[in-house]
Amino acid sequence: MRQLVFATNNRHKLDEVAAKVGDHIKLLTLEDIGCREEIPETGCTFRENASLKSHYIYDKYKLDCFGDDSGLEVDALNNEPGVYSARYAGTHGNHEANIDKVLARLAGEANRNARFHTVISLIWNGEEHFFEGIVEGTIRNERSGAKGFGYDPIFQPDGYAVTFAEMTMEEKNRISHRGRAMEQLIDFLVIGSSGH
Ligand code: ITT
């Protein structure tokens, strides 16, 4: 079976991706390979940051691996929080404060359109391949639901009456940015169709 390191320190991402790959790929975590460092995310785009994550692991461990960089883009906020999604309110991973900041900045705003965006960088046999996934939706006026992570309680995907935080992981994975990008990665590895 193909074996791949997922370069993430985010437990929720890992769970979602593990559910998506099922038996197709054996996922290794950073813990599995003994990597305890924070991987720097100094790029200005999802693509650059995804690439930094995968290269960090490949350069050090010479293992097939991938990393994703993802975030929320809100039209009325000039696509913020974007690459700063994890640390929008200052502290990395403070999801409650990040949500509060988005809601405060959108107070009174009629245009609630937004999207989640993921870029995955895969290094496979020493070559880099990119996969991208986007899900369009709107930002609710307040939180709803307790599942998922990050901005899930305020993001309602188009065509649904619930937020990502009200969906099961399987439902979210079927339509989410990360789920869509992972489907392409799995196709690439399992049936050999191309990344770019
Ligand atoms: P790693 O870099 O270790 O993978 P991270 O959480 O720092 O973990 P990112 O740099 O890609 O990951 O930041 C993504 C942030 O965007 C994440 O912390 C959330 O705030 C938000 N985000 C991304 N995908 C999301 C999702 O599916 N649901 C809710 N929020 C999400």
Side-chain angles (χ1 to χ4, degrees):
M1 195 196 291
R2 294 160 186 84
Q3 190 163 292
L4 267 187
V5 180
F6 183 17
T8 185
N9 285 304
N10 182 323
R11 186 78 230 172
H12 297 280
K13 281 187 179 180
L14 188 62
D15 290 346
E16 286 183 7
V17 164
K20 196 83 194 179
V21 300
D23 295 335
H24 293 301
I25 297 164
K26 178 169 169 37
L27 271 193
L28 297 179
T29 65
L30 292 180
E31 204 178 352
D32 291 335
I33 62 166
C35 175
R36 288 182 186 81
E37 298 102 276
E38 273 298 315
I39 304 176
E41 289 180 44
T42 49
C44 300
T45 61
F46 294 128
R47 191 177 165 109
E48 281 171 16
N49 279 334
S51 198
L52 283 172
K53 294 178 199 184
S54 61
H55 277 94
Y56 186 93
I57 296 306
Y58 186 73
D59 292 348
K60 201 159 172 187
Y61 300 91
K62 294 286 176 274
L63 293 168
D64 292 322
C65 61
F66 67 102
D68 88 308
D69 199 54
S70 46
L72 181 70
E73 296 173 331
V74 180
D75 283 358
L77 302 179
N78 294 320
N79 283 339
E80 285 184 14
V83 290
Y84 301 107
S85 290
R87 54 196 141 117
Y88 194 42
T91 314
H92 193 108
N94 187 344
H95 299 312
E96 294 309 317
N98 290 339
I99 288 180
D100 286 341
K101 183 166 177 183
V102 169
L103 291 179
R105 296 199 56 198
L106 282 182
E109 173 62 55
N111 178 3
R112 317 287 298 186
N113 295 333
R115 71 203 56 76
F116 273 124
H117 193 156
T118 290
V119 176
I120 293 176
S121 159
L122 166 72
I123 302 184
W124 181 249
N125 294 332
E127 283 184 14
E128 184 171 25
H129 305 268
F130 290 98
F131 307 91
E132 193 165 12
I134 289 176
V135 56
E136 299 283 345
T138 49
I139 302 297
R140 289 273 193 92
N141 290 315
E142 52 191 42
R143 293 166 169 82
S144 193
K147 298 197 231 333
F149 71 101
Y151 299 91
D152 283 345
I154 56 168
F155 183 83
Q156 178 174 308
D158 285 352
Y160 295 79
V162 292
T163 67
F164 266 172
E166 295 171 295
M167 293 182 169
T168 63
M169 187 190 292
E170 288 68 30
E171 286 168 330
K172 178 184 168 188
N173 252 343
R174 264 199 294 277
I175 58 166
S176 78
H177 49 314
R178 189 169 303 100
R180 286 173 171 162
M182 279 306 299
E183 274 164 23
Q184 296 166 45
L185 182 150
I186 294 164
D187 283 354
F188 173 80
L189 290 179
V190 174
I191 54 176
S193 59
S194 64
H196 57 272

